[in-house]
Amino acid sequence: MAGIPVQWWLFFLFSSYLATILVTSSTMKTYIIYMDKWAKPDEFSDHKQWYASMIKSVTSTTEKQEDAAGDEDRIIYNYQTAFHGVAAQLSEEEVEKVQEQTGVMALFPETVYQLHTTRSPMFLGLEREDSTSVISDNLFNSDVVVGVLDTGIWPESPSFNDTGMTRIPAHWKGTCELGRGFEKHHCNRKIVGARVFYRGYEAASGKINEQVEYKSPRDQDGHGTHTAATVAGAPVHGANLLGYAYGTARGMAPGARIAAYKVCWTGGCFSSDILSAVDRAVADGVNVLSISLGGGVSSYCRDSLSIGAFAAMEMGVFVSCSAGNGGPDPISLTNVSPWVTTVGASTMDRDFPATIKLGMGKFLTGASLYKGRRNISSNRLYPLVYHGSNSSNLTPSSMCLEGTLDRHSVAGKIVICDRGISPRVQKGQVVKDAGGVGMILTNTAANGEELVADCHLLPAVAVGETTGKFIKHYAAANRNPTATLAFLGTKLRIRPSPVVAAFSSRGPNILSLEILKPDMVAPGVNILAAWTGELGPSSLPSDHRRTKFNILSGTSMSCPHVSGVAALIKSRHPDWSPAAIKSALMTTSYVHDNTQNPLKDASTAAFSTPYDHGAGHINPLKALDPGLIYDIAAQDYFEFLCAQGLTSSELVVFSKFSNRTCRHTLGNAGDLNYPAISAVYPENGNVTVLTLHRTVTNVGPPVSSYHVVLSPFKGASVKVEPTRLDFTGKRKKLTYKIIFTTRSRQTAPVFGSVTWKDGVHRVRSPVVITWLPPL
Ligand SMILES: *[C@@H]1O[C@H](CO)[C@@H](O)[C@H](O)[C@H]1NC(C)=O
Ligand SMILES: *[C@@H]1O[C@H](CO)[C@@H](O)[C@H](O)[C@H]1NC(C)=O
Ligand SMILES: *[C@@H]1O[C@H](CO)[C@@H](O)[C@H](O)[C@H]1NC(C)=O
Ligand SMILES: *[C@@H]1O[C@H](CO)[C@@H](O)[C@H](O)[C@H]1NC(C)=O
Ligand SMILES: *[C@@H]1O[C@H](CO)[C@@H](O)[C@H](O)[C@H]1NC(C)=O
C-alpha cells in the first residue's frame, strides 16, 4: 500500500461519493425542475396535480415496458415556497421530453454539497473556545427563529435547555418531525422545529440503514449540534472539552429559537434535499438561515442553494453561508451570491499550547487538546521517527495514511506525520494502532504556521511548518533522535488575534469581480460548542469517550456566529431587510488585531487583504447600531443579474415568482448598492475614469451629519462626491458618487477603504480596484 502514489489516494477519497451514486441508480437520476408557477392550466386544481401529470406524461410510455413503478414515486419533492417545481427521478430520454413540456423553465441535475468543517480531508482543525459572546442579556427572549441546515440536533445538550424562555412565537408554523430517537418532547421553546430531508439522498445512494443511522432529526455526526448551539445555545456554565477551554459556552443569540433541518447524511448533502429544506424553512417562518455547507461554484442560476437563497431573501430571510475551507488558494470561495452573506474564518485569542523537547535539549512549541492520564511520561525521552525524505515531497507514509506504518519501525516511538489527505485525528489513530507512543503533526506549506489542536487518542502535538522542518531535520541528521511531549492546557489573550485562518477560502469572487467576497470573517478556529452523545470528540469510531462539548474548526463554525449576530440584529430591528442586516455587519467590522496592527493571514503571516477577510472581523455590539446602512431590494439584486448579462432563460429562476423583468436601472454591476466597493477597469486601457454610485439610509439619530474619509490608493486617485452627507430624518436616503481615475494601471488589485463618520459611528466599506490585463 505504501507504493500507491498520492494522486491515487486523492482519487479514492474524492470519487467515493460519485461511485455510490453511479452504482445504486443505473439509469435514473434525480433532476430538479423549475416550473412557471403562473402557467398552471386551469384543468388542474393545484400545482401538485399539474406537476404529477406532467411527469406522468413523459414517463408513462417507458414505464409500460418496465415493471410499473407508480409515477408518484418518480417525484421525490414538490417545491412551493422558495422554489417552484419538483425534484423527480428521470432517465436521460425522459429529461429531453420534460424540457419540451409547457411550464418547464429550467432543469438541474442533483449535486452533492459538503459540510465545511476541517474534518474534510484537506484540512485539520485547531482548537479554541468562543470568546466573542458579549451580548447583553436583555435580548434574552426573542421571536427570531434561525433555521439551521445541517446534520440534525442532539436535543439533550444543555445548550438547548429552554428554562426561562417565553412561548413559541406566534408567527412560527414549523413542526417537529418524529422518528427513531426523536420524540415530541425533544422539541421545546428553544428547539421549535426539527425536520428531515432524505429523499434525494436515498434516490441516489439507496435506503438509509435505520439501524445504523437515525432517520430522524437526531444528530449522530455532531456538526449540526455544534452549529446550532453556536447560533443560539443557552448559556452553560463550566463547559469544557476534557478540561480544555473551560468557561461559559453560549450561542451568539441565546434568546433566539432554533429550527433544525437535517439535510446531511453519512454520504453527503444532496441539492434536492437542501432546496426542499430552504423551501420548507421559508414556509415555516424562519427569519435567518444558517447554512454551513457548500458545493462547487458554477453560476448564480445553476446552483440550487443560490436560487433557494434568492427566494428566501425576497421573503425577508437573512441567509448566512460558510465561505468554504479551500484557502489559502485564491479564488477558492463557495456561496458567492450577493444576496447571501459569505463568512470566512479567523482565530480567537485562545490557544492550547504544548511543548516538544528534543533529545539535543531544544524546546519547541505547538498545540494540543490531548487529555491522557498525564504528560507522556515525565521527562523520559522516546525515539523519534519520520517516514518521509528530507526533500519536501509528501508521501503516503510521511502523512501516516492508513496502512503505511510498519509496527516494526513505529512501536514505542514518537512519529512525525505530515498534514494532508487524511483527517488529522485518523493519523493519530494510525500511529496508535502501529504501537507508536506519540505523534508530532507537522504543517506543510499549505497551512503555514496555523496551529491545529485536535482531540487525539494518543499524545500528539501539532506544530507549524517551520518548527516541523526543524524537527524533521533533527530526526534525519541524528542517529538516535529522541523527543518528549508536554501539555500545558488552555492559554488566553493570545496575540496577535484575530488572524485569518489559513484554511478560510479566498476571493476574488470568480462569478463577478464587482462583488467583493468573502463578506466578513468570524471565529472559526478552535470553537467550543455542544456535541452529539453518539460520537467521541475525535469523531473516530474507535473513540469511546463521550463529551458534552467539542472543539471544531472550519468556516462551518464561523457561519453560525454570523447567523446568531444577524438574529440579534433582527430582534432589535425587526423591519430591517436581509441586506440592511448584512450592511450593519460589514460596515462595523474591524480590520485590526489586538496588537493594533492590520489583520494578518495565518498562512503567510503577512497582512491579509479584503480577498481574505472581506469587510473585516464582525463586531456584534457595533452592528446593532451602524448609523447608516446600504440597503438593497430584491429587484436591485435582479437588476444586478441583468447587468451581468444573464439571458432571459437563465434569469427565469429568479424572475418567475414575482414576474420580474429587467428594467436596466443598473448600468454597471459594480453599482449594486453593496456595502463593499469594487471598481473593475476593462481590458481597454483607454478607459481611465470609472464612477460608481452608492445610497446610504440613515438608521441613526434623525439629524446627523457624516463626512467621508478615504484611505490612500496606489495607481489611482479616488474622489467621493459629495464629501458631506447631512441627514434630516430617520430612514432618509442620500446618494454619493465614487470617482476612480487611473494614474498608472496596476497588475495586482489595489485595496483601500471609504469611511463615513459622524463623530459616533464609523461606516466603513472596503474598496478594491482591479485593472483587467489588456487582451
Ligand atoms: C435547565 O436549566 C435549569 C436552570 O438552569 C436547570 O434547573 C435544569 O435542570 C436544566 N434542565 C436540564 C434538562 O438540564
Ligand atoms: C538530506 O539528508 C541527507 C543526510 O542527512 C543530507 O546529506 C542532505 O543534504 C539532505 N538534503 C536536503 C535537501 O536537506
Ligand atoms: C506537563 O509537563 C509540563 C512541563 O514539564 C508541566 O508544566 C505540566 O504541569 C505537566 N502537566 C501535568 C498534567 O503533569
Ligand atoms: C404574475 O403574473 C401572473 C399572470 O401572468 C399573475 O397572476 C400574478 O398575480 C403576478 N404576480 C405578481 C406577484 O405580480
Ligand atoms: C484607444 O485610443 C486610441 C486613440 O484614441 C485609439 O486609436 C485606439 O483604437 C483605442 N483603443 C481601443 C482598444 O479602443
Side-chain angles (χ1 to χ4, degrees):
M1 251 183 150
I4 298 177
V6 170
Q7 290 78 358
W8 279 100
W9 284 92
L10 275 169
F11 176 74
F12 292 146
L13 269 157
F14 291 108
S15 60
S16 58
Y17 286 142
L18 221 56
T20 331
I21 300 165
L22 294 179
V23 170
T24 53
S25 70
S26 46
T27 53
M28 285 212 274
K29 284 196 198 155
T30 302
Y31 292 85
I32 297 168
I33 304 164
Y34 190 81
M35 302 289 292
D36 178 358
K37 182 179 165 103
W38 312 113
K40 178 178 74 65
D42 292 338
E43 69 220 64
F44 299 107
S45 60
D46 63 22
H47 285 85
K48 223 167 146 176
Q49 216 184 58
W50 173 37
Y51 301 154
S53 148
M54 187 274 291
I55 294 296
K56 190 176 175 140
S57 71
V58 301
T59 57
S60 50
T61 47
T62 42
E63 210 90 65
K64 270 178 215 139
Q65 291 118 24
E66 296 164 21
D67 55 329
D71 298 321
E72 251 84 302
D73 295 341
R74 298 295 204 93
I75 293 185
I76 60 177
Y77 285 116
N78 277 286
Y79 302 111
Q80 32 211 342
T81 309
F83 192 87
H84 298 276
V86 292
Q89 289 206 283
L90 300 170
S91 69
E92 264 171 54
E93 298 138 38
E94 289 162 355
V95 166
E96 282 174 28
K97 287 195 223 152
V98 163
Q99 282 168 316
E100 291 156 13
Q101 303 295 308
T102 353
V104 172
M105 309 303 306
L107 182 141
F108 319 101
E110 178 93 277
T111 54
V112 185
Y113 288 65
Q114 262 111 44
L115 296 165
H116 283 159
T117 20
T118 59
R119 276 204 293 118
S120 86
M122 300 302 284
F123 294 95
L124 305 177
L126 244 165
E127 92 149 336
R128 264 196 167 207
E129 147 222 294
D130 180 355
S131 68
T132 53
S133 35
V134 284
I135 303 304
S136 62
D137 288 22
N138 59 11
L139 287 168
F140 228 75
N141 267 294
S142 153
D143 280 350
V144 172
V145 181
V146 183
V148 181
L149 268 62
D150 214 300
T151 61
I153 197 157
W154 189 262
E156 289 82 7
S157 166
S159 295
F160 307 127
N161 187 337
D162 70 349
T163 304
M165 293 196 80
T166 51
R167 7 189 337 219
I168 292 171
H171 79 268
W172 180 244
K173 297 196 278 293
T175 187
C176 247
E177 291 177 0
L178 311 182
R180 183 165 76 91
F182 208 89
E183 289 160 32
K184 203 158 182 199
H185 72 270
H186 288 128
C187 280
N188 58 19
R189 291 174 175 188
K190 170 59 78 182
I191 302 173
V192 298
R195 294 184 185 271
V196 288
F197 301 84
Y198 53 76
R199 285 187 234 154
Y201 177 71
E202 285 195 334
S205 315
K207 282 254 176 265
I208 290 168
N209 181 344
E210 296 198 46
Q211 302 311 307
V212 179
E213 193 167 5
Y214 290 106
K215 203 167 163 178
S216 77
R218 181 168 290 275
D219 175 20
Q220 73 195 65
D221 177 280
H223 190 276
T225 300
H226 200 279
T227 54
T230 301
V231 172
V236 182
H237 302 293
N240 68 90
L241 169 61
L242 306 173
Y244 284 97
Y246 191 93
T248 298
R250 64 191 217 166
M252 293 292 101
R257 324 295 175 130
I258 296 163
Y261 295 86
K262 183 169 176 179
V263 296
C264 293
W265 306 87
T266 50
C269 331
F270 282 67
S271 54
S272 63
D273 295 329
I274 295 169
L275 194 54
S276 185
V278 171
D279 197 61
R280 281 318 298 234
V282 171
D284 286 347
V286 300
N287 307 102
V288 174
L289 275 173
S290 189
I291 306 179
S292 288
L293 45 92
V297 174
S298 47
S299 71
Y300 296 128
C301 62
R302 298 196 65 81
D303 172 358
S304 47
L305 195 45
S306 159
I307 299 165
F310 187 92
M313 171 275 295
E314 278 185 304
M315 294 181 219
V317 177
F318 178 90
V319 183
S320 159
C321 293
S322 45
N325 297 338
D329 291 342
I331 325 180
S332 45
L333 293 167
T334 66
N335 300 322
V336 293
S337 302
W339 47 90
V340 309
T341 296
T342 314
V343 188
S346 52
T347 65
M348 294 188 300
D349 68 342
R350 184 180 55 198
D351 212 349
F352 306 100
T355 58
I356 300 162
K357 183 186 174 192
L358 299 180
M360 61 193 278
K362 175 119 179 148
F363 280 91
L364 299 158
T365 40
S368 182
L369 284 178
Y370 174 71
K371 181 72 170 190
R373 256 163 306 148
R374 253 178 318 112
N375 283 340
I376 180 164
S377 170
S378 40
N379 285 328
R380 177 171 161 202
L381 290 163
Y382 292 84
L384 183 64
V385 61
Y386 176 56
H387 287 92
S389 65
N390 58 352
S391 73
S392 51
N393 290 341
L394 302 180
T395 64
S397 61
S398 86
M399 291 184 284
C400 305
L401 302 187
E402 213 156 326
T404 63
L405 295 188
D406 167 11
R407 196 169 183 90
H408 197 67
S409 64
V410 165
K413 298 182 183 168
I414 293 176
V415 184
I416 303 169
C417 301
D418 288 310
R419 273 175 72 174
I421 307 223
S422 64
R424 299 179 296 271
V425 288
Q426 200 177 77
K427 296 173 195 284
Q429 177 82 55
V430 168
V431 171
K432 190 178 182 215
D433 289 347
V437 298
M439 174 174 71
I440 297 172
L441 183 66
T442 69
N443 282 358
T444 60
N447 336 103
E449 302 305 308
E450 177 171 86
L451 288 184
V452 172
D454 297 292
C455 215
H456 291 282
L457 287 166
L458 85 172
V461 176
V463 297
E465 189 193 8
T466 313
T467 306
K469 275 190 181 151
F470 184 91
I471 299 171
K472 286 183 220 170
H473 188 261
Y474 163 74
N478 282 271
R479 279 167 57 126
N480 293 307
T482 55
T484 192
L485 312 176
F487 306 96
L488 308 179
T490 307
K491 276 232 169 80
L492 297 175
R493 290 173 283 281
I494 299 299
R495 291 145 74 90
S497 64
V499 174
V500 178
F503 60 75
S504 187
S505 286
R506 310 306 166 96
N509 173 358
I510 192 170
L511 299 184
S512 351
L513 283 178
E514 292 85 355
I515 302 298
L516 177 66
K517 290 275 179 175
D519 291 311
M520 63 198 77
V521 292
V525 180
N526 293 336
I527 303 301
L528 180 82
W531 189 240
T532 174
E534 198 73 15
L535 264 187
S538 69
S539 294
L540 293 170
S542 56
D543 188 349
H544 298 295
R545 301 172 292 183
R546 291 294 177 267
T547 58
K548 287 198 159 49
F549 292 85
N550 198 4
I551 290 174
L552 299 180
S553 297
T555 53
S556 273
M557 281 65 242
S558 56
C559 162
H561 280 85
V562 167
S563 316
V565 177
L568 286 178
I569 300 175
K570 186 78 186 171
S571 9
R572 178 71 67 86
H573 306 286
D575 58 329
W576 282 13
S577 69
I581 295 173
K582 172 155 59 170
S583 175
L585 286 161
M586 286 173 71
T587 62
T588 57
S589 63
Y590 56 85
V591 289
H592 286 82
D593 61 27
N594 60 358
T595 66
Q596 306 314 318
N597 288 304
L599 290 180
K600 292 202 179 73
D601 175 350
S603 71
T604 56
F607 294 137
S608 61
T609 74
Y611 282 167
D612 311 315
H613 61 239
H617 190 279
I618 55 163
N619 194 343
L621 287 181
K622 284 250 159 61
L624 292 170
D625 177 23
L628 304 177
I629 52 171
Y630 292 83
D631 209 355
I632 305 176
Q635 179 66 26
D636 301 330
Y637 285 118
F638 186 72
E639 291 297 334
F640 161 80
L641 293 166
C642 303
Q644 287 285 93
L646 267 67
T647 63
S648 52
S649 66
E650 290 171 329
L651 284 170
V652 88
V653 291
F654 303 108
S655 63
K656 265 299 159 189
F657 178 62
S658 305
N659 301 338
R660 296 189 192 286
T661 54
C662 292
R663 297 179 202 146
H664 302 289
T665 50
L666 212 61
N668 174 344
D671 264 342
L672 180 70
N673 201 33
Y674 213 69
I677 294 160
S678 175
V680 184
Y681 279 98
E683 291 87 351
N684 181 351
N686 289 4
V687 179
T688 58
V689 180
L690 283 178
T691 303
L692 296 180
H693 303 81
R694 287 293 184 272
T695 300
V696 281
T697 308
N698 180 23
V699 294
V703 178
S704 30
S705 179
Y706 284 82
H707 70 277
V708 76
V709 179
L710 285 164
S711 70
F713 289 89
K714 192 175 164 192
S717 70
V718 179
K719 261 185 16 192
V720 167
E721 283 176 10
T723 57
R724 250 182 89 103
L725 298 174
D726 293 312
F727 292 92
T728 54
K730 192 124 184 146
R731 287 266 150 199
K732 272 262 171 356
K733 288 177 190 283
L734 289 174
T735 294
Y736 69 92
K737 281 197 287 200
I738 321 149
I739 303 147
F740 298 86
T741 309
T742 302
R743 278 190 271 108
S744 59
R745 288 178 74 92
Q746 305 289 308
T747 50
V750 165
F751 301 103
S753 64
V754 170
T755 308
W756 291 95
K757 294 183 180 178
D758 69 346
V760 177
H761 304 95
R762 294 162 50 90
V763 187
R764 185 181 173 284
S765 290
V767 175
V768 51
I769 314 173
T770 317
W771 288 265
L772 295 178
L775 291 173

